[in-house]
Amino acid sequence: MTDLARYDAACAALTAAVLADEVMNVRLEAKAIEAVGRVAKNFDLEMQAVKLRLRAEARLGEMLDQGEAQGIIATRGRQPKGSEAEPLTRATLKDIGIDKKLSAHARKLSGIGAQAVNGMIARFESESRSRGRLAMDVVYQ
């Protein structure tokens, strides 16, 4: 499968994703495509992969917030106590394979809103093109 086909498949998978595992797989695929683009010195592919990864992380943040609101995920790592007859167990970030730094970054991205994420990605792309290298500082500001 060509790198462009992998990228297109990952974009489609992100659009169709309904589970956090699916979004995490898209994020990992985007990181792999990013590495391939870096090694191949394909700046456009590398930049597209970073943009896909950022969108996946924003979607993951939305899913984490939804999971907490619905009571599926333990709130900020705290496990509530249930009754003895009916113990309450909720998934933690560790249970679903998400580290604290990724969770914090994903929640920040989802917290600024889709329009702001798109603006940040557009600014990232224009800054990267003008510099001739990835402008990751735009993302982390």
Side-chain angles (χ1 to χ4, degrees):
M1 181 182 292
T2 67
D3 296 325
L4 187 57
R6 281 176 69 188
Y7 173 79
D8 288 339
C11 287
L14 180 59
T15 303
V18 293
L19 299 174
D21 286 350
E22 295 167 337
V23 174
M24 288 293 291
N25 287 338
V26 170
R27 180 181 175 274
L28 288 174
E29 184 69 21
K31 286 184 78 139
I33 294 169
E34 184 181 343
V36 167
R38 188 176 311 115
V39 169
K41 298 189 186 323
N42 185 336
F43 181 70
D44 288 330
L45 181 63
E46 188 178 2
M47 187 168 38
Q48 294 297 328
V50 169
K51 289 171 24 179
L52 176 62
R53 178 173 54 88
L54 291 172
R55 285 192 176 96
E57 288 170 354
R59 179 69 181 119
L60 180 64
E62 292 171 12
M63 291 179 136
L64 290 173
D65 288 340
Q66 283 177 336
E68 278 187 4
Q70 294 172 350
I72 299 169
I73 298 174
T75 306
R76 306 288 180 195
R78 292 187 283 287
Q79 191 66 267
K81 306 281 189 231
S83 66
E84 286 185 30
E86 193 173 313
L88 189 60
T89 58
R90 295 181 182 160
T92 62
L93 292 176
K94 186 177 180 180
D95 293 340
I96 56 178
I98 298 173
D99 68 4
K100 292 176 186 179
K101 286 183 181 181
L102 174 58
S103 171
H105 180 66
R107 288 173 196 262
K108 283 180 188 175
L109 284 176
S110 73
I112 64 173
Q115 192 173 18
V117 168
N118 289 335
M120 179 197 65
I121 289 173
R123 183 168 167 239
F124 161 76
E125 184 172 10
S126 67
E127 284 285 324
S128 295
R129 290 198 186 283
S130 69
R131 295 179 190 179
R133 60 182 172 79
L134 294 180
M136 294 307 292
D137 58 324
V138 171
V139 173
Y140 296 112
Q141 286 180 346

